Amino acid sequence: MIDRRQWIIGGIATGLLGRAAAAAARYDAVVAPAARRDVPAGRRFADLGTALAAAPRTGGYRLWLARGDWLGQHVVDVPGVALVGEDRQRTRIAFTAASGMIAPDGKHYGTYRTATLTVTAAGFTARNLTIANDFDGIAEMRKTGARLLSDDPAGPQAVALRLAEGSDAARLDAVDIHSHQDTFFPDAGRVTLSGCMVSGSYDFIFGAGSALFDQCEIRSRLRPDPQQMRGYIAAPSTLRAQPIGLVFDRCRLTRDPGVADGSVFLARPWRPSKKFADGQYGNPDAAGMAAFLDCWLDAHIAPAGWTEMWYTDRSGNPRHMLQPEDARFGEFGSRGPGAHAARRLAALSAAAAARIRRLATRSISG
C-alpha cells in the first residue's frame, strides 16, 4: 500500500509548491508529452494506459499526470494506485461513451461499460485532476428527431468514474468528476471524497457503495428536455444490511445557469434488478441510504426534497414505484435558498445526524 507520508508530500509538491518543487518529487511513473522537461522524476510514459499497465501486481504505484486531455477508457485493477494531477482542471482523464452508443464490439455500451475510469482494486487514491465523460448530453436532449432516451436501456447514461467490485478504501482529494447522467457510480466498497466536485443532472451519484462526501460541491447541470425537466442528485441502491450509503457532510449543492428553481430532488431510491430462482426483478434487499448533513442548498432543490423511483416487481410490472418512505433518507441542518422546513420526509434529529456522521467517518474514512 501507499506510504501516507509520501502521498501527502507528493500532493503538496504538485498542488502548492509549484513546478520546481514538483520536479524534485519522485514518482513511480510520470505521464507527460515528450517535449516536457519540467516534470517530476520517474519512469516516463507517453500515455496513461501504458503507465497503468506497468503497475506492479503487488500494489503501491504513484503516478504523476501532466496537464492535458488523456483520452480513453482505463481500469485500475491493482491495489494502491495513486494518481496525482498537475492541474485540477487541466489534467483531464476523459472519454466519450453513452449507454445507447455502439461500442467497438458492435453492441450497445450499456451503462456499466461507459465509464471513463473503472476501479476494481483496493486503496485507489486520486488528487488534483478531473475525470470526465464528455458525452454531450445537452446536444442529445436538444435533438428534434430520434435520440437516446433517459429511461430506455439505449439511453444517454454516461459514467465518468465507476468503483466496481474489488474497490475499497478509496480516497479522492480535490478531484472533479463531470458528466450529465450517471456521472459517479460508487457501487462497491468505501470511498471518501474531500473537497471534490461532482456534476450532472440525472441520478448523477448512484450505486450500492458507501461514500462520504466531505465539504464537496455537488453541481446540478442544465437539462433542457421538455419531457424530462426534473433532476435527481442521488440514487442509492444500498443493501439493508449496510448502514451507510451516500453521506453528504457540509457540502454545497449548487447549479449551473438555467437550472430552474425547485427542479432538482435530493434523492430517489434505486432498486436494481437481480436474478432469483423465481425470476428477475428488483432486489428487495436494496433500500437506498442517503443523508445530507449541514449542507448549503441553492434554490434549485425541490421543496419536497425526495421522490419515488420505479422498479420491476416480482410479478413483472416494470413500473412499480418505490417510495422514499421505504428507503433510508435523511436531512439535517440544511441552509440556503433551497432549504425548506416542510419536506416529504421529516428532518433528522441532532442525535440521528451525529450518529450517521460518526458511523460514516469511522466505517469509511477511519
Side-chain angles (χ1 to χ4, degrees), residues 151 202-203 228 230-236 263-271 288 302 304-312 318-329 343-345:
D151 302 326
Y202 199 87
D203 298 336
Q228 298 282 357
R230 291 178 177 175
Y232 311 92
I233 292 175
S263 65
V264 176
F265 289 96
L266 294 171
R268 58 180 186 166
W270 179 34
R271 180 165 285 179
W306 319 94
T307 191
E308 65 275 353
M309 189 174 187
W310 55 86
Y311 70 98
T312 300
R319 289 281 171 171
H320 194 104
M321 303 305 291
L322 183 62
Q323 303 300 325
E325 289 81 2
D326 297 320
R328 294 169 291 165
F329 291 162
R343 295 286 201 207
R344 179 166 174 175
L345 302 177

Side-chain angles (χ1 to χ4, degrees), residues 49-310:
T50 304
L52 287 173
R57 306 306 298 183
T58 53
Y61 188 67
R62 298 177 66 248
L63 188 156
W64 187 88
L65 193 60
R67 61 182 181 271
D69 283 2
W70 302 97
L71 305 180
Q73 285 185 295
H74 304 285
V75 177
V76 175
D77 60 358
V78 297
V81 170
L83 301 181
V84 179
E86 179 182 16
D87 185 286
R88 177 169 175 170
Q89 281 79 42
R90 294 193 294 165
T91 300
R92 298 179 73 252
I93 303 171
F95 188 68
T96 299
S99 179
M101 293 173 62
I102 302 300
D105 62 4
K107 301 177 181 178
H108 286 120
Y109 272 101
T111 302
Y112 289 19
R113 295 203 297 163
T114 62
T116 297
L117 182 65
T118 299
V119 179
T120 62
F124 171 73
T125 54
R127 180 185 179 90
N128 203 46
L129 51 80
T130 291
I131 304 167
N133 189 316
D134 284 342
F135 175 71
D136 194 341
I138 292 287
E140 185 66 29
M141 285 179 265
R142 284 179 171 156
K143 285 182 180 178
T144 56
R147 60 181 178 173
L148 307 178
L149 300 177
S150 291
D151 302 326
D152 189 289
Q157 296 88 344
V159 178
L161 174 60
R162 179 186 176 204
L163 305 181
E165 184 177 356
S167 176
D168 191 35
R171 183 172 182 88
L172 309 176
D173 292 298
V175 171
D176 291 353
I177 310 171
H178 298 312
S179 185
H180 273 276
Q181 182 165 340
D182 294 4
T183 303
F184 178 40
F185 189 12
D187 201 38
R190 301 164 295 161
V191 58
T192 299
L193 300 89
S194 182
C196 295
M197 176 194 288
V198 185
S199 74
S201 61
Y202 199 87
D203 298 336
F204 62 96
I205 301 172
F206 72 114
S210 296
L212 174 60
F213 299 81
D214 178 20
Q215 302 182 73
C216 295
E217 180 178 354
I218 311 300
R219 180 179 294 177
S220 291
R221 302 181 71 181
L222 181 65
R223 191 174 181 82
D225 184 345
Q227 298 178 7
Q228 298 282 357
M229 285 305 295
R230 291 178 177 175
Y232 311 92
I233 292 175
S237 56
T238 328
L239 297 180
R240 294 183 189 278
Q242 185 176 311
I244 295 297
L246 307 177
V247 176
F248 301 85
D249 188 7
R250 296 165 295 163
C251 294
R252 290 180 58 84
L253 278 55
T254 64
R255 57 176 166 173
D256 280 352
V259 177
D261 288 357
S263 65
V264 176
F265 289 96
L266 294 171
R268 58 180 186 166
W270 179 34
R271 180 165 285 179
S273 291
K274 181 179 178 180
K275 287 185 178 180
F276 296 94
D278 58 349
Q280 182 167 320
Y281 46 87
N283 185 358
D285 285 336
M289 186 277 179
F292 292 79
L293 309 178
D294 293 313
C295 295
W296 183 90
L297 285 55
D298 206 344
H300 63 300
I301 300 302
W306 319 94
T307 191
E308 65 275 353
M309 189 174 187
W310 55 86

